[in-house]
Amino acid sequence: MPLSKDVYRVFEDIVGEKNISDADVILDAYTFNWLVEFHPGCAPGKYLQNRPLAVILPGSAGEVQAIVRACNRYGVKYKPSSTAYGSHAFSLQEDVLHIDLKRMNRIIDIDAKNGFAVVEPYVPWCQLNAEAMKVGLFGTAHQAGSQASALANVTSGWGMNTMGNHGGHNAKNALGVEWVLPDGEMIRLGPPDAWFTGDGPGPSLRGVMRGHVGALGGNGVYTKCAVKLHHWPGPSTIKTAPGGVFSGYKLAEPLERARVYMVDTPDYETLADLMYALGDAEVCYAIMRVGGPEHAFAILAGAISNQTLVDWHEAGMVEAAANEWNHPLIALLYAESDREFAYQEKVFHQVVEECGASIPVAVQVSPFKDLLEEEFAIFLIGNDTHWAHHGGGFLISAGYMGTTDSVIRHMGYPAEKLKMRYVERKGILADGPDSTYHNSFEHNAYIYKELEFHYDAANAYSVEECRRLVAEERDTNREQKDGFECQDIGLCLGDARMTIQERFAELGPLYGDFHIWQERMKRAFDPNDVADRSTYGIGTAARNLKV
Amino acid sequence: MALEDYRNDMMRCVRCSSCKFIPLGSIVKSWQFAYGCPASKQMNFHSYSGSGKLIAALSWLDGRIGVTPELLDVVYRCSLCGLCDVSCRMGTDMEVYEILHQLRKKLVAEGHGPMPAHKPVIESVRNYDNVWVQPRNRRGRWAKGLSVKDLSKGKEKAEVLYFVGCTYSYASDLMHIPRLTAELFTRAGVDFGILGARELCCASPVYMVGQQDLYEEYAKKNIAMFNELGVKKVVTSCAGCYGVFRSKYPLLGEDMDFEVVHAEEYLAELIGSGALVPKNKVDLSVTFHDPCHTGRMAEIRAPSGGGEECHLGCLPVKNVEKVLGFDGSYDAPREILAAIPQMKFSEMERIREYSFCCGSGGGAKSAFPDFALSAASDRVEEAMSTGAEALVTNCPWCEKNFADAVRETGAPIRVVDTIELLAQSL
Ligand SMILES: Cc1cc2nc3c(=O)[nH]c(=O)nc-3n(C[C@H](O)[C@H](O)[C@@H](O)COP(=O)(O)OP(=O)(O)OC[C@H]3O[C@@H](n4cnc5c(N)ncnc54)[C@H](O)[C@@H]3O)c2cc1C
Ligand code: SF4
Ligand code: SF4
C-alpha cells in the first residue's frame, strides 16, 4: 500500500521536500542492483519485485531518529543503506521506506593519536583514507571498493579486507557507535564522551549490533561510527600517471620501502603452510589471493578491456603462465624504515623458501612485472573492484570463513571441479579452476575465501547457469553438513530456489541455531517489527519455531 | 544507433557508485574533492548519477516508468561531462556516456525533450546560425580593426581557418580572447583567416541536448565548408567547438580533409618552435581547469552500437576500442603557463581526464542554473585550496560559469583565460 498523503507529509516535514521522493524514476534506482537476479522470481532482470514506498534522505542523526520514530508510529517498515552496492542494500519486503544516508557524509574527526576516525555513513573508504594518509594512518578498506562506505562495512556487513592480516576483520574495527535502535531510541556504544571503544559501560552491545556477518540494515540505523585506523608507512598522497594495465593508472614514482610479491605454491597444503608462516613472521602489510593464473589474467585485463583478455589468450600468455604456476598469493611488504624493510625482505624470502613456495618467472616479466611494480600498491589502496565485473557480475560459490588450514586445505578442489563443469557449458567465464579470492585475519590465523565466477548479466543463459551452479553447490553442501560457515548467510542469496528466511531456517541448526537467537534479538529490539526483515531474522519461517 | 542498442550495458551496471567519484585508481586526495559527478554532488538520489541514468533508461525502455518531469530532471540536470564514463570504464567496457546521450536523443525524437530552456537555443541556431539569438552579420564584429584574412568569400586563401565559435563571437565580455589570439597568430606569422559572418554554430550545444537532426545538418555543413576552403587546419578557441569537431564530427563518416587543433595547442607549438617567446614576468599564482570538451570529451569514443561477441565462455567483447579519456588536450595550456616567466602554477586535485566539470555543459546552464552554479562553486573552492590567485581555463562556457560563481560566492580569485596571460607575457 502506498504511503498516505498525510504520512508522506510527516516524513517530508522531517527532511524537507527536496529530500524525499516517491517518483518512479527515483524508486527504480533503489530497486535495480547487482545480485538481484539471484533472488527468487527476479531473474533474468535486475529489478526487485517491489519498489520501496519512497526514498528519504536524512541529513543528520536527529532526522534519522525522527524518521525511525515516525516509522514506528505509523507502522512503516524501513531499510537503511549507505552506498548500496549489491542487493542486500535493498529490502525484499513490500511497502518499505528506503533510507538513503548519502547526505550524512562527513568525517567528524580523525584522532591521529589514538588511531581512529569518526565518520558518518556515506563516507567511502576512498575519502576516509585520503584524509587518514595525511596523518600516517590507513583504514582497512574492503574489496567492494573504496567507493563503498566504511561505516557500513564495519558496523553492518562483512568486513573482509586485504590488510586483515594485521588490521583484523572489520567487525573489530568498529569502535564507538551512535545507533538509532529499531524503535527509534538513540544510544551510544562505548562511553558517551569518547569514541575509542565500543564496549561499556556495562555489558557490551557490540555483538548485538554487529554479530559476525552484520545485521545488514535489519537492526536500526548506525549514524556515526569510530573506525579504527592502522599505521600507514607511505606518503600523504600517492602520485599516479596514466598508462597502467590494471586500473588505467600506475605509480608516477615508486613507493619507497614497499614491494609487492606474487609467490606461487604447488598445492593448497603448501599455501596453508605459507599463510601460517607469513602470519607468524608479521612481515606483510597486506595479503590476498586473486586465484590461479587464468583468473589473475582475467582480473588483470579488466581495466583495459575484455578484448585484451582474449588477445592474451590468443598470444599464449595465459597458457604459459598456467603451465608454470598453480596457487599464487600476493603480498605487500611495506616498512616504516629502510632497516625494517630489509628485515621484511629477508624474512619473507626465507619463509617462501622454507615453505616450498617460489616466485614464478612469468611474474618477473611484463605485464605482470609492471603490474606488481607499478600498480599493485595502487590497487591495494584504491581497492577498486568494478573491474571484476567483466560482464556485469560475478557470483561466488564456496564462500567460507574459518581457520586457514581447514578452509584452504578442504574447501578448494570440490568447488573448483563443479565450476569447471559449468565452464565447459560456456555459461560462465573460462578463467580456470582456481578463481579464489581470499583475505586473512589475525596474522593469518583465519581466512575468508570465495570461489568467484563471472557471468554476463545481460545474457539470460549465463545468469541461469549461475543460478544452477550455486543451487548445485548448495545441495552438495547441504548433504555434507560440513560445519563451515557458508557465506550465503551473509550474502543472503545464491540459491534462487528459496527465500533467505528459508535458507536461514535450513542453516540455523548447523550453526548454533543462530536464526533463533537472531529472531529473539529482533523481537526484543524491534517491538513494532518495522526494521527491515529481508536479511535479518527468519520472519514468517519463525512461526513454527520456539523463539 | 539507438538507445535500445545499449540495453546490455544498462543490464551490466552493478550500481557500485564508482561513477560518482573520480577514478579510484588515481587515488582520491581528499574528502572534499573526491566527487567527480557534479550531478551526484548536488542531487543526492542515486538516480542522478551516471548509473542512475542507466537504470532510468532501462526502466523507460522496459515500460516500467513513463516520461515524467522527474525523469526529465534526472536526465537533463547533468552537464553531460563524461566523468561517469571515464570512472566506470576504468574497470568496465560499458559505454555510459553514449547511453546518456542516446537517452536525450530518444527523448527529443519522441517529443519529450529537450527542456523548455533549450528550445530558444535550438531555434536560435536554426534561425541565426548561433546560440545567442544574434544576427549573422554581427558574427565577425570581434575582429573589427584587425587585419585578418576573410576566407568567407573564397577570394582569399589560408592554411589555417581560425574558427571562433558563437560565444567568443558575440559575448562582449569575452571578445578580447579571439582578438588576442588573432594578434598572437599574426605576430607569429601564421597564415590564417576567419569566416566572419559565414561562420556557423558548431552545433555542439544542440548535440548535447539531443537534437540530433539539427546537429547533423550543421555538422555536415561545417565539414563541407572546411573542406571547400582547402585549409589544412581548423583552429578553434572554444572548447565546445574543439570537442565536437575532434570527437563527434569524425563519427558522421564524412571525409574531413583538415586537422582540428585548439588555439592553445597551436600557440604551445609556436612557443616550442621559438616563434613566440614569452618574456614579460607575470607574477601570479595560478591553477588550471581542464574543460571537459578539450579533455576527456575531445577524445573519439567510437560507439559500438551494441555490437559485441561472446568469447571465453560468456565474456562480452565489444567491436570498438575502449578509451579512457587520456587522449584529451591536456598539455598545451600547461606548457604555455610553464613558459610564462615567474608564473607559479599548482595543480588542483581533479585534473585532466578526471577534471571536475564547471557544470555549465550539456545545456545545464540554461535549464538548471542552480546546478551549474553549485558545480562551479565547488570547482572554485578547489582552485582556492591550491592557494592560486587566478583560476585559468580555456573555455568560454567555463569562464562565464566560474565568473558567476565567483560573483555569487565572493571568492577572492580571478577567472582568467590562458591566452590573456600569454598575451601579457609577450
Ligand atoms: C564486488 C563486491 C565485493 C565485495 N567484497 C567484499 C569484501 O572483500 N569484503 C567485505 O567485507 N565485503 C565485501 N562486499 C560486501 C560489502 O561489504 C558491502 O557491499 C558493503 O559493506 C559495502 O558498503 P556499502 O556502503 O555499499 O553498503 P550498503 O550496501 O549500503 O550496506 C551494506 C548493508 O548494511 C546496511 N547498512 C548500510 N548502512 C547502514 C547504516 N548506516 N545503518 C544500518 N545498516 C546499514 C544495508 O542495509 C546493507 O544491508 C563486497 C561487495 C561487492 C559488491
Ligand atoms: S555505471 Fe559503471 S561505475 Fe556507475 S554504478 Fe554502474 S557499473 Fe558502477
Ligand atoms: S555526465 Fe557528468 S554530470 Fe552527468 S551523470 Fe555523468 S558525471 Fe554526472
Side-chain angles (χ1 to χ4, degrees):
Chain A
M1 246 212 339
L3 284 179
S4 73
K5 278 203 175 110
D6 289 346
V7 176
Y8 188 91
R9 190 144 325 119
V10 169
F11 289 116
E12 193 177 77
D13 287 346
I14 297 169
V15 292
E17 194 191 343
K18 258 179 55 187
N19 294 313
I20 180 167
S21 175
D22 60 0
D24 287 349
V25 63
I26 302 294
L27 301 186
D28 264 9
Y30 298 82
T31 311
F32 176 104
N33 215 323
W34 173 50
L35 295 178
V36 166
E37 58 270 51
F38 300 100
H39 289 290
C42 293
K46 286 173 83 165
Y47 292 98
L48 287 168
Q49 284 164 331
N50 309 306
R51 282 181 177 141
L53 294 170
V55 179
I56 192 164
L57 296 156
S60 66
E63 287 185 8
V64 171
Q65 186 177 32
I67 291 166
V68 172
R69 282 195 170 142
C71 285
N72 275 274
R73 197 170 324 126
Y74 297 102
V76 177
K77 297 185 182 71
Y78 64 89
K79 172 84 171 183
S81 77
S82 295
T83 38
Y85 185 7
S87 63
H88 47 263
F90 298 159
S91 177
L92 306 174
Q93 292 183 277
E94 282 177 40
D95 298 339
V96 173
L97 175 73
H98 189 95
I99 306 175
D100 180 347
L101 297 157
K102 178 159 182 285
R103 289 176 66 218
M104 297 178 63
N105 60 6
R106 292 173 308 156
I107 297 177
I108 309 287
D109 181 34
I110 295 190
D111 184 336
K113 191 163 157 234
N114 293 303
F116 65 81
V118 182
V119 295
E120 290 187 325
Y122 211 98
V123 176
W125 290 105
C126 62
Q127 284 181 306
L128 174 56
N129 278 337
E131 297 301 333
M133 282 158 73
K134 292 175 188 166
V135 294
L137 295 171
F138 202 77
T140 43
H142 64 294
Q143 226 65 61
S146 63
Q147 84 295 344
S149 157
L151 177 145
N153 194 246
V154 303
T155 60
S156 305
W158 305 284
M160 297 77 83
N161 67 86
T162 48
M163 288 159 52
N165 59 312
H166 72 88
H169 187 277
N170 275 342
K172 292 197 169 174
N173 287 316
L175 306 175
V177 176
E178 181 182 82
W179 178 7
V180 176
L181 294 174
D183 65 356
E185 186 186 345
M186 197 186 305
I187 63 163
R188 269 284 299 277
L189 297 192
D193 54 352
W195 289 97
F196 66 90
T197 175
D199 292 318
S204 174
L205 280 178
R206 274 158 57 98
V208 173
M209 175 203 75
R210 176 64 163 81
H212 182 61
V213 167
L216 299 171
N219 202 8
V221 186
Y222 311 108
T223 44
K224 284 186 197 76
C225 169
V227 177
K228 173 87 190 123
L229 300 173
H230 301 267
H231 81 107
W232 167 246
S236 56
T237 55
I238 302 272
K239 290 202 178 75
T240 55
V245 177
F246 183 78
S247 63
Y249 295 95
K250 57 186 180 180
L251 292 169
E253 48 207 49
L255 289 179
E256 283 176 43
R257 303 179 307 280
R259 186 160 300 148
V260 182
Y261 284 100
M262 186 182 263
V263 286
D264 186 41
T265 56
D267 46 46
Y268 285 132
E269 285 71 20
T270 311
L271 178 63
D273 291 345
L274 178 66
M275 287 291 293
Y276 282 119
L278 286 175
D280 288 347
E282 293 187 32
V283 289
C284 299
Y285 192 76
I287 289 187
M288 67 182 289
R289 290 203 66 218
V290 286
E294 289 112 315
H295 184 65
F297 272 98
I299 295 296
L300 227 182
I304 321 176
S305 65
N306 289 349
Q307 176 67 54
T308 310
L309 182 58
V310 176
D311 294 345
W312 285 350
H313 271 274
E314 283 170 1
M317 272 163 62
V318 183
E319 200 186 353
N323 287 336
E324 192 200 356
W325 89 69
N326 301 288
H327 303 296
L329 180 78
I330 295 168
L332 168 67
L333 310 189
Y334 209 169
E336 301 277 357
S337 68
D338 292 344
R339 217 168 134 227
E340 187 192 5
F341 187 55
Y343 170 79
Q344 287 184 350
E345 286 266 40
K346 195 169 157 195
V347 173
F348 182 79
H349 284 284
Q350 191 176 330
V351 168
V352 166
E353 199 186 320
E354 280 172 9
C355 291
S358 60
I359 299 177
V361 175
V363 304
Q364 297 173 42
V365 294
S366 286
F368 254 98
K369 178 175 180 289
D370 311 334
L371 169 83
L372 295 180
E373 286 176 1
E374 298 173 350
E375 274 188 79
F376 222 91
I378 301 182
F379 161 68
L380 288 169
I381 296 160
N383 260 301
D384 195 354
T385 51
H386 67 316
W387 42 255
H389 296 280
H390 296 88
F394 72 85
L395 192 55
I396 61 170
S397 65
Y400 295 106
M401 185 92 79
T403 59
T404 302
D405 220 5
S406 50
V407 171
I408 292 185
R409 274 179 215 256
H410 302 299
M411 300 322 300
Y413 299 120
E416 290 176 11
K417 253 196 194 153
L418 177 67
K419 178 191 163 187
M420 289 313 283
R421 272 210 281 117
Y422 282 81
V423 166
E424 277 159 31
R425 288 155 51 158
K426 297 190 188 309
I428 56 173
L429 175 69
D431 60 350
D434 175 9
S435 49
T436 311
Y437 171 75
H438 99 208
N439 288 148
S440 52
F441 314 100
E442 315 304 341
H443 303 300
N444 303 345
Y446 77 103
I447 71 165
Y448 167 70
K449 152 187 178 321
E450 63 192 29
L451 194 76
E452 295 176 350
F453 48 95
H454 298 251
Y455 61 93
D456 180 358
N459 174 335
Y461 171 69
S462 183
V463 173
E464 258 322 302
E465 279 288 272
C466 288
R467 290 167 67 116
R468 281 191 278 268
L469 194 167
V470 173
E472 202 175 324
E473 194 232 358
R474 300 291 191 267
D475 285 344
T476 319
N477 200 282
R478 197 172 287 122
E479 279 158 26
Q480 288 175 347
K481 293 195 174 45
D482 47 36
F484 289 95
E485 182 207 315
C486 307
Q487 189 56 19
D488 65 349
I489 296 176
L491 274 184
C492 300
L493 55 83
D495 190 339
R497 298 166 301 183
M498 57 175 68
T499 64
I500 287 160
Q501 282 72 25
E502 285 165 346
R503 182 70 174 147
F504 280 7
E506 193 181 71
L507 288 172
L510 298 176
Y511 302 104
D513 283 334
F514 78 88
H515 60 314
I516 293 178
W517 289 102
Q518 203 180 54
E519 185 62 27
R520 279 183 184 145
M521 286 196 287
K522 171 86 181 151
R523 292 183 186 185
F525 281 80
D526 187 12
N528 296 315
D529 201 13
V530 283
D532 181 50
R533 270 188 171 279
S534 26
T535 45
Y536 190 76
I538 56 169
T540 47
R543 280 204 195 109
N544 304 326
L545 292 173
K546 281 212 170 81
V547 294
Chain B
M1 231 161 275
L3 183 64
E4 289 78 353
D5 297 335
Y6 295 91
R7 212 169 187 290
N8 286 356
D9 274 3
M10 298 171 212
M11 287 287 290
R12 290 183 188 128
C13 169
V14 290
R15 208 190 182 282
C16 64
S17 289
S18 295
C19 48
K20 293 174 185 163
F21 299 95
I22 59 174
L24 301 171
S26 69
I27 311 302
V28 170
K29 291 184 178 57
S30 70
W31 172 84
Q32 198 178 359
F33 304 120
Y35 273 82
C37 168
S40 279
K41 185 82 200 287
Q42 193 206 26
M43 303 299 291
N44 290 300
F45 294 113
H46 184 79
S47 320
Y48 287 87
S49 64
S51 158
K53 292 179 179 70
L54 263 49
I55 298 168
L58 186 62
S59 290
W60 184 35
L61 283 180
D62 283 0
R64 291 176 57 90
I65 61 172
V67 178
T68 56
E70 290 88 355
L71 173 66
L72 292 172
D73 199 72
V74 161
V75 174
Y76 283 104
R77 193 181 277 275
C78 154
S79 51
L80 215 58
C81 69
L83 183 283
C84 49
D85 187 88
V86 167
S87 283
C88 180
R89 278 147 78 96
M90 286 295 165
T92 77
D93 286 1
M94 286 163 58
E95 294 166 84
V96 181
Y97 172 82
E98 191 56 29
I99 297 172
L100 266 50
H101 182 243
Q102 292 291 346
L103 180 54
R104 290 179 175 210
K105 263 172 61 180
K106 188 173 164 74
L107 284 167
V108 172
E110 296 189 9
H112 306 295
M115 299 303 286
H118 299 142
K119 294 194 175 143
V121 176
I122 289 165
E123 284 316 303
S124 176
V125 172
R126 242 192 264 282
N127 296 327
Y128 304 103
D129 296 332
N130 66 73
V131 291
W132 295 110
V133 202
Q134 292 292 318
R136 287 184 189 85
N137 60 12
R138 297 185 69 185
R139 190 160 184 130
R141 204 170 49 120
W142 66 270
K144 205 169 162 199
L146 296 179
S147 139
V148 289
K149 287 185 192 172
D150 180 358
L151 308 184
S152 68
K153 309 216 167 59
K155 289 186 191 137
E156 291 184 281
K157 292 268 170 216
E159 283 212 348
V160 171
L161 166 67
Y162 179 38
F163 187 97
V164 180
C166 303
T167 304
Y168 281 134
S169 295
Y170 291 108
S172 50
D173 53 335
L174 290 172
M175 245 175 223
H176 60 289
I177 303 296
R179 283 184 72 84
L180 287 173
T181 308
E183 279 168 11
L184 295 179
F185 285 161
T186 306
R187 189 165 167 165
V190 177
D191 176 23
F192 77 102
I194 62 170
L195 277 172
R198 258 193 85 199
E199 191 180 279
L200 304 176
C201 177
C202 68
S204 167
V206 294
Y207 175 88
M208 288 290 157
V209 298
Q211 193 75 43
Q212 188 69 11
D213 51 350
L214 196 61
Y215 159 69
E216 288 191 15
E217 181 191 326
Y218 273 74
K220 285 179 184 165
K221 277 193 213 165
N222 272 324
I223 293 172
M225 181 153 46
F226 301 162
N227 284 340
E228 190 190 301
L229 291 175
V231 291
K232 287 200 181 124
K233 289 181 202 273
V234 174
V235 176
T236 173
S237 286
C238 173
C241 305
Y242 175 75
V244 78
F245 290 165
R246 191 175 185 250
S247 70
K248 302 294 178 300
Y249 280 19
L251 302 177
L252 290 169
E254 309 277 312
D255 282 338
M256 288 172 60
D257 306 331
F258 50 87
E259 188 192 345
V260 176
V261 182
H262 193 277
E264 293 188 5
E265 292 174 318
Y266 207 98
L267 290 165
E269 249 178 57
L270 293 171
I271 293 171
S273 69
L276 287 176
V277 184
K279 284 200 194 101
N280 302 337
K281 290 178 184 164
V282 181
D283 186 11
L284 193 69
S285 53
V286 302
T287 188
F288 183 76
H289 165 76
D290 293 288
C292 310
H293 295 279
T294 53
R296 56 183 172 256
M297 298 313 296
E299 185 172 55
I300 297 183
R301 281 174 172 66
S304 72
E308 58 183 43
E309 274 178 19
C310 223
H311 287 265
L312 298 169
C314 71
L315 184 74
V317 174
K318 296 233 162 156
N319 61 8
V320 287
E321 209 181 312
K322 172 165 135 185
V323 295
L324 292 171
F326 296 145
D327 189 30
S329 174
Y330 304 115
D331 294 329
R334 289 174 172 79
E335 282 163 19
I336 294 176
L337 295 173
I340 298 175
Q342 208 153 334
M343 178 154 290
K344 290 177 280 305
F345 177 78
S346 352
E347 290 283 14
M348 286 188 273
E349 291 180 18
R350 297 172 290 187
I351 53 168
R352 301 172 80 96
E353 70 280 357
Y354 53 92
S355 171
F356 189 75
C357 172
C358 79
S360 89
K365 181 79 178 168
S366 50
F368 300 102
D370 62 318
F371 162 74
L373 208 56
S374 113
S377 307
D378 190 309
R379 190 62 161 162
V380 165
E381 254 184 68
E382 186 177 354
M384 302 259 302
S385 75
T386 67
E389 297 157 288
L391 168 56
V392 185
T393 189
N394 54 7
C395 165
W397 307 90
C398 300
E399 280 164 33
K400 272 180 163 295
N401 201 27
F402 286 144
D404 289 348
V406 166
R407 209 172 303 121
E408 185 82 11
T409 58
I413 193 164
R414 281 166 58 197
V415 180
V416 191
D417 193 291
T418 325
I419 300 298
E420 292 174 277
L421 298 174
L422 176 61
Q424 235 179 300
S425 77
L426 284 164

